[in-house]
Amino acid sequence: MTPMKTAIAGALCAGALMAALPAAAQETIVISNWDGYMPETLLEEFEKDTGIKAELAVHGTNEEIMGKLVAGKGKGYDVVFVSSPFAEALNHLGLAAKLDHDKIPNLKNLYPEASELAYDPGNTFSVPYAWGTTGLCYRSDLVDGEPESWNDLLKPAESLKGKTTMLSTDRWLMAAGELALGYSVNETDPEKIAEVKDLLIEAKKTLLAYDDTTFYSKLVSGEAELVHAWDGWCNYGIAENDQIKYVVPKEGTDLWVDTIVVTEASEHKDAAQKFVDYVLSADTGKWVAENILYKTPNKAAMDALDPALLKQYPNLAMTPDEVMQGELLRDLGQAQKLYTQTVSEIMAAK
């Protein structure tokens, strides 16, 4: 065999050997989010556009994913969607990565107010995805007058007894009582928390139910007439009955923010931040507002909405200034145990 033929044969053998070896593993990131909280095709489109595979792990509650993250020190997850107090807690626990803004250029799509949130000024470890208020959602054709106070829910008129529902999730149940009494939604004074507990136990006697998921359908059917609601979920009722209205009580509201966090344990931080950037596109933000009916801090998205949508769902048209009037829910630290215990006692009360 001539030297040239030997070289060619060697090259062919090397090529055959390379062909027989498995292809390099595709980079994969794991995202945990609530079910239906982003477009169904988003992960597929992300992979198509970036070559990065993304897998979805669904969580039902903030508490569920927090339990997994704390137990595993964040391992197994690259990106998580959690509400702001839980994002703040992840940062305090060292489980949230610091974000490199140079790798998330779509941050420019956000309102300036989105970088002024007290739990994370400058979006150092989290990016806001959706935000809003909590208030009263009601049947304007069945309720006398417009409800204006948390006490319209907690101390209802005789005609409304047995026709109201409340959220049972710790922070939001407590917030209704705290605001009614003029306290902070982040109150930690045990004596004030005891007052809130007594008020909510009395209110329980007037309720149709605690309901975190189907309260709007109870309004549609007329089974309930006044309910404690997140603004976006009230919109689900409005979609079926235009006599359903939403109001922020005069005592105020919490400002809730659902955020995106990259875990410190992620071994694919660049890919994870590329996903965060992808989510912050105007198109994705527009989908959130149009399909989840929640406000988004994505200005580019909100500016692209059909004005008819804002007319149909007035709370979608709330400005950032109006949203920021609410009191941010913050991480309670050790006081969270007091909230959990208090809510357990309210639920157990007769």
Side-chain angles (χ1 to χ4, degrees):
M1 185 177 288
T2 66
M4 178 62 73
K5 287 183 179 180
T6 301
I8 292 173
L12 290 173
C13 288
L17 179 62
M18 289 297 292
L21 291 173
Q26 183 181 22
E27 189 170 22
T28 302
I29 58 174
V30 177
I31 294 128
S32 190
N33 198 355
W34 293 279
D35 190 27
Y37 212 42
M38 59 188 178
E40 287 185 7
T41 60
L42 185 70
L43 301 189
E44 179 182 337
E45 291 167 357
F46 175 68
E47 180 178 356
K48 180 180 177 182
D49 290 346
T50 66
I52 300 167
K53 184 175 177 60
E55 297 178 354
L56 177 64
V58 172
H59 58 256
T61 65
N62 284 296
E63 291 79 7
E64 177 189 338
I65 186 59
M66 282 296 290
K68 293 177 180 178
L69 292 169
V70 172
K73 300 188 184 304
K75 292 180 180 178
Y77 297 95
D78 299 283
V79 179
V80 294
F81 288 66
V82 291
S83 298
S84 60
F86 299 89
E88 189 175 10
L90 289 173
N91 183 54
H92 289 159
L93 293 168
L95 299 179
K98 299 301 179 187
L99 299 177
D100 183 344
H101 287 199
D102 289 339
K103 295 177 180 176
I104 313 175
N106 276 334
L107 282 166
K108 69 181 185 298
N109 287 337
L110 300 181
Y111 289 110
E113 291 86 350
S115 66
E116 298 168 3
L117 298 164
Y119 63 87
D120 183 18
N123 307 127
T124 62
F125 61 83
S126 65
V127 172
Y129 177 73
W131 61 6
T133 61
T134 312
L136 304 177
C137 188
Y138 66 102
R139 281 284 296 266
S140 63
D141 55 333
L142 300 178
V143 174
D144 292 333
E146 181 184 58
E148 61 175 13
S149 168
W150 284 108
N151 285 316
D152 290 325
L153 174 71
L154 300 177
K155 299 177 180 180
E158 199 64 34
S159 61
L160 279 174
K161 290 182 179 177
K163 298 178 182 178
T164 61
T165 70
M166 290 191 72
L167 302 173
S168 63
T169 308
D170 288 9
R171 296 303 301 274
W172 285 278
L173 175 60
M174 294 295 290
E178 288 163 338
L179 289 165
L181 292 170
Y183 299 150
S184 166
V185 297
N186 302 301
E187 185 58 65
T188 58
D189 182 334
E191 290 187 3
K192 292 180 179 178
I193 294 299
E195 286 183 61
V196 173
K197 180 181 76 171
D198 290 344
L199 175 60
L200 293 175
I201 287 174
E202 284 303 306
K204 180 180 181 181
K205 299 172 184 177
T206 69
L207 295 177
L208 168 66
Y210 290 108
D211 188 341
D212 289 52
T213 56
T214 63
F215 51 84
Y216 65 92
S217 61
K218 288 181 171 68
L219 281 181
V220 172
S221 69
E223 183 182 5
E225 296 180 10
L226 173 67
V227 302
H228 181 197
W230 297 294
D231 49 13
W233 283 52
C234 185
N235 288 337
Y236 304 156
I238 294 171
E240 298 186 48
N241 186 326
D242 63 8
Q243 295 300 313
I244 294 175
K245 310 292 183 186
Y246 176 80
V247 64
V248 171
K250 63 183 181 182
E251 298 92 351
T253 177
D254 66 277
L255 164 55
W256 60 262
V257 185
D258 287 338
T259 75
I260 315 171
V261 174
V262 173
T263 64
E264 179 59 32
S266 171
E267 297 178 357
H268 311 284
K269 289 187 177 67
D270 284 353
Q273 290 179 108
K274 190 168 288 188
F275 177 78
V276 173
D277 187 63
Y278 203 81
V279 171
L280 292 183
S281 72
D283 286 345
T284 301
K286 186 168 179 278
W287 181 94
V288 172
E290 291 176 339
N291 292 273
I292 306 177
L293 300 179
Y294 276 10
K295 289 174 286 297
T296 169
N298 190 320
K299 182 180 187 299
M302 296 300 289
D303 287 348
L305 293 179
D306 185 339
L309 189 72
L310 305 182
K311 184 176 180 180
Q312 183 179 4
Y313 305 105
N315 72 64
L316 269 184
M318 291 176 71
T319 66
D321 281 346
E322 290 172 321
V323 172
M324 295 284 281
Q325 294 303 308
E327 185 184 6
L328 271 171
L329 293 170
R330 301 294 302 271
D331 175 29
L332 297 172
Q334 290 301 311
Q336 179 59 48
K337 295 177 182 177
L338 175 60
Y339 272 55
T340 301
Q341 177 185 342
T342 300
V343 171
S344 295
E345 291 172 359
I346 294 167
M347 293 298 154
K350 299 297 185 182

